[in-house]
Amino acid sequence: MEQRKVRVRFAPSPTGPLHIGGVRTALYNYLFAKQHGGDLIFRIEDTDSGRFVPGAEEYIIESFRWLGITFDEGVSFGGAHGPYRQSERRDIYKKYVKQLLDTDKAYIAFDTPEELDQKRAEVENFQYDASTRFSMRNSLTLSQEEVDALIASGHQYVVRFKIEPGEDVHVDDIIRGDVKINSSILDDKVLYKSADELPTYHLANIVDDHLMEVTHVIRGEEWLPSAPLHVLLYRAFGWADTMPRFAHLPLLLKPVGNGKLSKRDGDKLGFPVFPLEWHDPKSGEISSGYREKGYLPQAVVNFLALLGWNPGNDQEMMSLEEMVKLFDLSKCSKNGAKFDYVKAAWFNHQYLVQQPDADWAPAFGKVLAAQGIEATDEQMTEVVRLMKTKVIEYVDGQGNKKKRNISFASDLWPLTRFFFVAPTEFDAEDKFIKKNWKETSADEMRQLMQVLEGIDDFSAEGQKAVVDPWTEQTELRPWNAWRICLVGAGQGPDMYELAAFLGKEETLRRMQFAIDTLG
Ligand code: GLU
């Protein structure tokens, strides 16, 4: 067989916000396409009109724009295989439904939902298949005249796939190897519904993958049970030679406990499961997103790439370009990947500290504005420079207090308040204050104020040049008391840096206030 150009697709259904697992699927498709010089298609699978959610498609497109994952063709990108929205391809599917009917690979069934319910009530574990289809109301049991008459009188029907029982169906999966399923356990799946003149997911998916010349189907593990049916459909159409190769990605698992990652886990442990914030159009409920939470897109992409795959060494930080080089679909894990959200924050920290300090300003500015504080870009950049590598306390999934690096602009506020707000009181119970504000402190601070007053160059270096020699001469150790004056507690950056940020006047004012208050 001639070598075909690699063509893969990401084919979400617009039934709500894109789940973070879907983002990982799209990313793996992207990496695979790029490393083979292939194409990535963006297809919208919206044949289930009952589950359509307005805004979902736009949300998905916006998510990938933010993440920097680009498509070569598809909805909003154009291309030669369109339309790429399945609801706009009705006529195409009808032709292929007819092909299956004409070749006896499918049949028309008139059973109403009520009739099916009744069957299910009568027959335990009822399944519409080779063992039952001859006792149902369909084109296999009715005469051609009866079928025509029913259709002519407006009876709704579905088209079902006629699955021959007793055959081992093999799915050749790049990640899982040979997956075998006996056709007897499959039911005669509905491929088309006359009621809305639309195919179901299975038919539309196979027809489109064929027509769009898709070579590899890379998707979540939840689609593995559908794969044998898809193999049979390819065969029924006579397309077995160009059937795409399958790769079913590992599940994303809960960070704590067992089972699939769910939105509930995110809500409980405080992390988003969607790339962008989502406003549900029906319930009005707002679900948090990675973007709004303060994640950088590179960090999200890097974190997701490693959920189910790794480059085989301990390299963790990777640009998209590097991932394209290193990614290996066949080395993806079969086992589910635990969704380690603390690791996600770690990645964000790594990328945040790599970016120029000034780039934090817009996000930090918002955090400050929420506290009613206005600061210049220069001030914010300086605070970031001094504080970005500090650690913050958090409570983990088990309720334990732990420490982590600053991972979001919002982490900065509790650690940087004193840059913008002077202490107005001193906690008498604070251990640091108790230990470090001594009888002699007020006097020492008065002396230090005099020294500082005389300094013209109030930069950190300028102060150091004068104050360091003075402390040597006097053998005074004023640092901790000075920190109490300027910060009000035992935290913060280097004292010269802090004083330089506050400026001489504010530094002296805070010192005088502490002297007056603490005595
Ligand atoms: N429309 C399916 C979804 O929502 C596509 C599954 C597939 O990739 O075949 O994920």
Side-chain angles (χ1 to χ4, degrees):
M1 213 202 321
E2 104 209 73
Q3 197 68 27
R4 295 198 294 161
K5 182 180 191 188
V6 165
R7 285 175 57 83
V8 294
R9 83 302 194 269
F10 180 64
S13 299
T15 55
L18 179 63
H19 192 269
I20 198 75
V23 177
R24 198 247 342 230
T25 299
L27 172 63
Y28 281 22
N29 274 284
Y30 172 88
L31 297 176
F32 187 78
K34 289 295 144 224
Q35 73 179 187
H36 288 95
D39 296 328
L40 173 58
I41 304 162
F42 179 61
R43 184 170 76 218
I44 288 287
E45 303 210 323
D46 56 350
T47 56
D48 188 350
S49 48
R51 296 182 61 214
F52 178 83
V53 172
E57 181 185 303
E58 292 75 8
Y59 173 96
I60 296 169
I61 293 170
E62 173 69 12
S63 297
F64 291 122
R65 192 179 305 133
W66 178 64
L67 288 161
I69 294 175
T70 53
F71 292 83
D72 300 291
E73 52 187 87
V75 172
S76 86
F77 303 99
H81 296 71
Y84 293 93
R85 217 179 261 114
Q86 290 187 329
S87 58
E88 294 165 16
R89 298 170 66 80
R90 283 165 203 265
D91 294 341
I92 299 174
Y93 304 126
K94 276 187 191 158
K95 180 178 140 205
Y96 289 100
V97 170
K98 185 165 181 310
Q99 181 188 330
L100 291 182
L101 286 171
D102 290 348
T103 53
D104 226 8
K105 309 278 192 211
Y107 58 93
I108 291 174
F110 294 99
D111 320 86
T112 62
E114 295 73 33
E115 284 165 351
L116 289 170
D117 280 347
Q118 204 192 331
K119 265 282 183 235
R120 286 190 202 103
E122 278 165 30
V123 183
E124 209 179 323
N125 298 324
F126 171 79
Q127 178 166 285
Y128 211 123
D129 61 17
S131 70
T132 56
R133 62 171 81 109
F134 289 101
S135 62
M136 306 297 290
R137 226 153 56 90
N138 55 45
S139 58
L140 302 173
T141 57
L142 303 170
S143 70
Q144 184 66 49
E145 292 72 46
E146 287 172 301
V147 170
D148 292 344
L150 280 172
I151 293 177
S153 66
H155 272 74
Q156 297 299 354
Y157 63 90
V158 298
V159 173
R160 287 184 181 270
F161 190 33
K162 197 163 134 202
I163 291 187
E164 304 301 344
E167 186 206 339
D168 278 338
V169 184
H170 294 265
V171 178
D172 167 29
D173 189 292
I174 295 169
I175 298 171
R176 287 152 211 275
D178 177 38
V179 181
K180 194 174 73 180
I181 269 185
N182 195 280
S183 63
S184 299
I185 68 162
L186 303 174
D187 66 332
D188 288 354
K189 273 274 171 315
V190 172
L191 300 179
Y192 178 84
K193 296 185 273 36
S194 68
D196 54 9
E197 292 186 81
L198 277 170
T200 57
Y201 153 73
H202 300 290
L203 184 106
N205 188 269
I206 273 34
V207 167
D208 285 351
D209 280 351
H210 174 71
L211 295 178
M212 294 178 186
E213 298 176 72
V214 168
T215 56
H216 298 78
V217 166
I218 305 167
R219 61 186 174 189
E221 179 178 302
E222 63 274 27
W223 300 100
L224 184 57
S226 301
L229 170 71
H230 294 179
V231 169
L232 291 175
L233 271 169
Y234 276 107
R235 263 204 253 148
F237 278 119
W239 300 333
D241 282 354
T242 54
M243 181 166 75
R245 292 202 67 196
F246 291 98
H248 290 92
L249 304 175
L251 282 179
L252 296 187
L253 303 174
K254 292 183 185 308
V256 198
N258 299 317
K260 237 172 87 177
L261 173 71
S262 72
K263 178 160 155 22
R264 281 263 238 43
D265 301 312
D267 292 345
K268 206 168 71 196
L269 299 169
F271 64 89
V273 297
F274 302 122
L276 316 179
E277 196 169 272
W278 168 256
H279 297 241
D280 191 277
K282 266 211 212 105
S283 67
E285 191 199 345
I286 297 176
S287 306
S288 71
Y290 279 83
R291 181 177 65 183
E292 290 72 13
K293 182 93 191 175
Y295 277 87
L296 296 175
Q298 312 91 286
V300 176
V301 165
N302 197 155
F303 164 66
L304 288 178
L306 294 172
L307 290 179
W309 167 79
N310 67 69
N313 53 28
D314 50 16
Q315 184 183 356
E316 295 191 290
M317 297 288 288
M318 276 173 273
S319 67
L320 207 50
E321 295 75 47
E322 267 177 290
M323 284 176 219
V324 167
K325 284 203 198 96
L326 296 169
F327 184 68
D328 186 344
L329 188 57
S330 67
K331 298 247 165 68
C332 286
S333 156
K334 291 196 241 317
N335 306 323
K338 257 204 190 311
F339 196 83
D340 185 351
Y341 67 101
V342 178
K343 190 77 192 190
W346 179 87
F347 272 109
N348 209 42
H349 168 78
Q350 300 299 323
Y351 281 95
L352 276 174
V353 293
Q354 270 181 18
Q355 71 175 1
D357 297 333
D359 287 7
W360 292 59
F364 190 26
K366 269 191 211 152
V367 173
L368 292 177
Q371 301 293 337
I373 286 160
E374 251 179 68
T376 65
D377 281 1
E378 270 148 19
Q379 285 174 317
M380 288 190 278
T381 304
E382 179 63 356
V383 173
V384 167
R385 182 179 76 81
L386 296 173
M387 303 300 283
K388 66 182 174 186
T389 54
K390 298 274 189 244
V391 293
I392 184 164
E393 271 193 356
Y394 75 100
V395 182
D396 76 1
Q398 271 88 34
N400 305 312
K401 262 197 190 163
K402 292 203 173 150
K403 289 199 161 93
R404 63 165 168 75
N405 298 107
I406 286 183
S407 305
F408 313 102
S410 55
D411 287 344
L412 282 172
W413 171 246
L415 299 180
T416 58
R417 189 177 192 275
F418 55 83
F419 282 94
F420 308 99
V421 184
T424 50
E425 54 189 10
F426 299 92
D427 180 1
E429 295 311 309
D430 185 285
K431 279 201 198 105
F432 185 85
I433 298 178
K434 267 185 171 168
K435 181 158 172 253
N436 292 295
W437 192 269
K438 306 197 179 89
E439 299 254 294
T440 52
S441 292
D443 182 51
E444 282 172 24
M445 287 303 105
R446 267 185 219 108
Q447 293 182 50
L448 177 57
M449 281 175 76
Q450 259 176 13
V451 176
L452 293 173
E453 226 151 350
I455 299 175
D456 290 328
D457 170 11
F458 210 68
S459 68
E461 303 79 54
Q463 295 173 55
K464 190 175 165 64
V466 177
V467 178
D468 271 8
W470 172 74
T471 59
E472 258 156 56
Q473 243 172 44
T474 56
E475 290 185 359
L476 291 177
R477 294 284 165 271
W479 314 115
N480 289 349
W482 194 18
R483 186 170 295 283
I484 292 168
C485 298
L486 300 194
V487 178
Q491 58 168 47
D494 174 80
M495 288 309 298
Y496 294 137
E497 301 272 20
L498 176 55
F501 176 90
L502 296 173
K504 196 198 276 189
E505 196 184 324
E506 174 66 4
T507 298
L508 296 176
R509 203 193 59 73
R510 288 191 187 188
M511 291 172 81
Q512 189 59 54
F513 177 76
I515 293 167
D516 294 345
T517 312
L518 289 164

